């Protein structure tokens, strides 16, 4: 970034750092496919040879949502049982499980959070196969892990992570496909389609007007789209401070539905595939309650909602749709924040590398 | 219940069903310790003989929070790697992982939810050791599982689950201790202390006044107290409809902290032990931001907060404190709901057995 040296006529625009990084996403995805994929396949081939029986995923914040996406891929595409790590069991309580045959994947854009480094080191000592997925090959996390995947997103300056999220998803997809000997060809369409989505910012701005005065939001999905719902909620909270609650569609029916009425708008992320099908009864219940329902999904789903944003899903495999789904929701977090007179680049209280121990 | 036959002079009091079930908790805990423990130890002994290497926990809603408590116990006390199931990978996507050596624990008060039954059946067919933890030994879930633990809470009529939560925690604690050959003696103090907590409803009513007009709440904890934070948030949402967001203390620093300010009250659940120690830096950050911080925890912690509720933790092992911690928070959900003029027994939209598929 040369902004400090060269005066930038746009430098006083709120959110310009976040906007710039969102706009880089097609190029980042293209770079991973063109330059990163062979190294990712090589890591996958070497790990597959060790035949892990169980996978533990460790991450926080946005990276935790990328890890959850990987959990769906590993369970569905590979039939590998998975868990998300409760990190404090290692770092606070000193648990030292036997991790023979266990693959431990740690996802972190900075690779610098001390607790992630400590828990990965402990996992390696306990016999795990350790893999770091980071945006910094020179980071302590990459260093402490046996294997490393570089997500190649370039420096991320904005506090709300955007391009490192989609980059992590794509890298994890290529890794999981590599584990099963696939080439990840369904991902080839993503850079072009990501570019088309980014060009539709005006549509998102219209949607954003609806949430300007919202006191809370509910975001729901099921299957592959559930990590998208969680990441969208996090993005909205980080930038606009609107309390955004994310639930899998099934969990929403087990309690929090009581909170949904005509003052709690609902965003549903509907993947085109089995996850979207499994969400239908939830959408029916929401419509039956008169919820303000906005759908991010295929055209046939958007038509039945109060409003929405049509995703290009024709010919796009369900398992890669999350890389696209989040883009209008990143734009939405950005636009809602601007509409509320706040600056998406300056969230209160956040530091880029969070020093949790 | 004979309320329909015999007119009850209190029958028009809002929340009387929930209040009655909360009040039963000491008796339920006593019953599990006196009558249930031998059967739980027997199940544990038989499962320990099969030496599971991994544990997957499956549940929804309140039971999911009990399952998370079990995950901490299994990881910390037994060093067994664990995961929480993403159920749709089985029920919507048809994933059929190899579950040899895997213990699959399904927690459900009713034992009747079709997706839990389907995913447990699939797990058993895939080679898993299956254990159902339910309040209904005659349920389809108990029937489809190889092993069953009855949480003996008696019929639960209120829609917000209370006594089945603490009963599940205690049953899971005794089970995990049984796996390691322990007798669970630290749990013996719980019925008496639970009774003392319930007798302090006036203190909770004073706290509740603070949240009557709250538009949102944040609840945080770390380690063993984290499931308590999640369950407290769920209880508040189900009864009062206040959007209550729960975060592990470490996750709170990775983003949502931006949302916390003097209009977002924070409740911290501070266990007396390593979890509470690991939470200290988060409490310091919250105090530094001037957050309205209410602590549920030991006296030394409550003294440093804006307000709080002192838990009797002296001589109580950290791993059983969650059975007590949730009680003042159940009372809080109840009292806040009453203060807002709503009826905790009549949440909108909830059915007791949720038919997710």
């Amino acid at each position: 970034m040369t902004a400090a040296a060269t005066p930038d006529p746009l430098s006083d625009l709120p959110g310009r750092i976040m906007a710039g990084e969102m706009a880089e996403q097609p190029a980042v995805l293209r770079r991973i496919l063109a330059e990163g994929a062979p190294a990712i396949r090589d890591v996958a081939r070497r790990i597959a040879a060790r035949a892990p029986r169980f996978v533990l995923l460790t991450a926080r914040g946005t990276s935790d949502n990328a890890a959850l996406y990987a959990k769906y891929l590993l369970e569905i595409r590979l039939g590998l049982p998975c868990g998300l790590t409760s990190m404090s069991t290692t770092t606070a309580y000193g648990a030292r499980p036997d991790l023979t045959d266990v693959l431990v994947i740690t996802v972190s854009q900075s690779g610098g959070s001390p607790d992630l480094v400590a828990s990965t080191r402990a996992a390696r000592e306990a016999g795990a196969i350790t893999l770091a997925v980071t945006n910094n090959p020179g980071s302590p996390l990459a260093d402490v892990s046996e294997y490393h995947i570089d997500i190649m997103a370039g420096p991320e300056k904005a506090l709300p992570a955007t391009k490192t999220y989609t980059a992590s998803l794509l890298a994890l997809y290529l890794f999981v496909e590599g584990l099963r000997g696939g080439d990840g060809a369904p991902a080839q369409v993503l850079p072009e389609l990501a570019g088309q989505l980014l060009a539709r910012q005006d549509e998102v701005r219209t949607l954003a007007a609806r949430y300007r005065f919202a006191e809370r939001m509910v975001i729901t999905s099921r299957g592959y789209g559930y990590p998208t719902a969680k990441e969208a909620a996090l993005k909205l909270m980080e930038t606009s401070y609107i309390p955004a609650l994310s639930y899998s569609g099934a969990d929403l029916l087990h309690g929090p539905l009581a909170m949904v009425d005509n003052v709690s708008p609902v965003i549903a992320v509907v993947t085109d595939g089995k996850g979207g099908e499994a969400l239908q009864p939830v959408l029916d219940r929401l419509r039956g309650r008169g919820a303000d329902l906005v759908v991010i999904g295929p055209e046939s789903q958007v038509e039945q909602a109060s409003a929405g944003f049509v995703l290009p899903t024709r010919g796009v495999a369900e398992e890669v749709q999350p890389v696209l789904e989040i883009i209008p929701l990143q734009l939405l977090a950005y636009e809602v924040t601007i509409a509320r007179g706040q600056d998406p680049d300056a969230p209160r209280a956040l530091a880029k590398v969070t020093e949790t121990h």
Side-chain angles (χ1 to χ4, degrees), chain A:
Chain A
M1 301 282 285
T2 55
T6 317
D8 179 342
L10 301 177
S11 65
D12 57 347
L13 277 186
R16 81 194 161 82
I17 303 175
M18 183 182 176
E21 291 177 352
M22 288 191 290
E24 285 176 41
Q25 292 179 102
V28 171
L29 298 174
R30 207 166 273 124
R31 187 186 308 147
I32 295 168
L33 289 168
E35 301 167 30
I40 295 173
R41 266 196 297 271
D42 183 56
V43 167
R45 194 183 43 75
R46 288 190 284 152
I47 289 176
R50 297 175 64 178
R53 284 213 46 217
F54 198 75
V55 184
L56 292 177
L57 296 139
T58 307
R60 290 206 181 279
T62 290
S63 297
D64 203 31
N65 299 327
L68 182 60
Y69 167 71
K71 182 174 189 286
Y72 279 91
L73 285 174
L74 288 158
E75 291 183 3
I76 296 168
R77 308 281 294 169
L78 264 83
L80 269 177
C82 291
L84 299 176
T85 304
S86 302
M87 218 173 317
S88 69
T89 64
T90 305
T91 57
Y93 293 97
R96 288 295 177 268
D98 174 8
L99 296 177
T100 313
D101 303 330
V102 177
L103 169 62
V104 171
I105 304 177
T106 309
V107 187
S108 164
Q109 59 85 15
S110 73
S113 189
D115 59 349
L116 291 167
V117 175
S119 78
T120 304
R121 182 181 292 118
R124 192 169 178 180
E125 288 167 2
I129 307 160
T130 51
L131 167 65
V133 178
T134 84
N135 198 29
N136 183 357
S139 63
L141 178 64
D143 195 49
V144 82
S145 302
E146 192 173 359
Y147 301 97
H148 177 251
I149 286 175
D150 181 0
I151 65 169
M152 305 179 82
E156 190 168 59
K157 309 275 185 185
L159 291 177
T162 54
K163 64 177 180 172
T164 54
Y165 180 67
T166 46
S168 297
L169 294 191
L170 178 55
L172 286 162
Y173 170 75
L174 293 173
F175 170 69
V176 175
E177 288 304 297
L179 282 181
R180 59 200 289 274
D183 61 359
Q188 294 295 333
V189 298
L190 297 174
E192 170 69 21
L193 293 175
Q196 291 175 16
L197 290 171
L198 287 160
R200 293 163 61 195
Q201 189 155 354
D202 285 354
E203 281 180 59
V204 176
R205 198 170 296 131
T206 307
L207 266 187
R210 168 175 216 113
Y211 302 120
R212 181 168 173 190
F213 302 110
E215 288 178 4
R216 58 193 186 191
M217 295 174 67
V218 170
I219 310 181
T220 190
S221 188
R222 213 163 170 202
Y224 281 118
Y226 179 46
T228 308
K230 294 190 64 150
E231 172 60 9
L234 180 58
K235 221 51 25 182
L236 274 157
M237 285 194 290
E238 282 181 342
T239 54
S240 74
Y241 320 135
I242 299 175
L245 298 129
S246 56
Y247 299 100
S248 93
D251 283 322
L252 186 60
L253 300 185
H254 278 257
L257 192 63
M259 225 184 51
V260 174
D261 52 31
N262 56 4
V263 302
S264 290
V266 179
I267 296 177
V269 179
V270 187
T271 57
D272 196 356
K274 289 175 179 168
E277 286 162 29
L279 193 62
Q280 292 310 311
V282 181
L283 299 179
D284 291 343
R285 280 285 288 280
L286 290 168
R287 279 188 288 257
R289 295 178 63 76
D292 182 275
L293 178 64
V294 165
V295 165
I296 313 292
E299 187 160 18
S300 58
Q301 295 289 332
V302 172
E303 279 167 359
Q304 299 173 58
S306 312
F309 183 96
V310 175
L311 289 176
T313 58
R314 195 162 302 162
V316 182
E318 183 181 4
E319 59 270 20
V320 299
Q321 290 176 25
V323 180
L324 302 174
E325 282 163 0
I326 191 62
I327 293 176
L329 291 159
Q330 291 170 340
L331 292 171
L332 184 69
Y334 173 90
E335 291 291 348
V336 168
T337 306
I338 300 277
R340 287 163 80 103
Q342 298 157 206
D343 182 354
D345 285 340
R348 300 178 292 223
L350 282 185
K352 188 69 184 165
V353 179
T354 308
E355 297 260 338
T356 44
H357 293 269

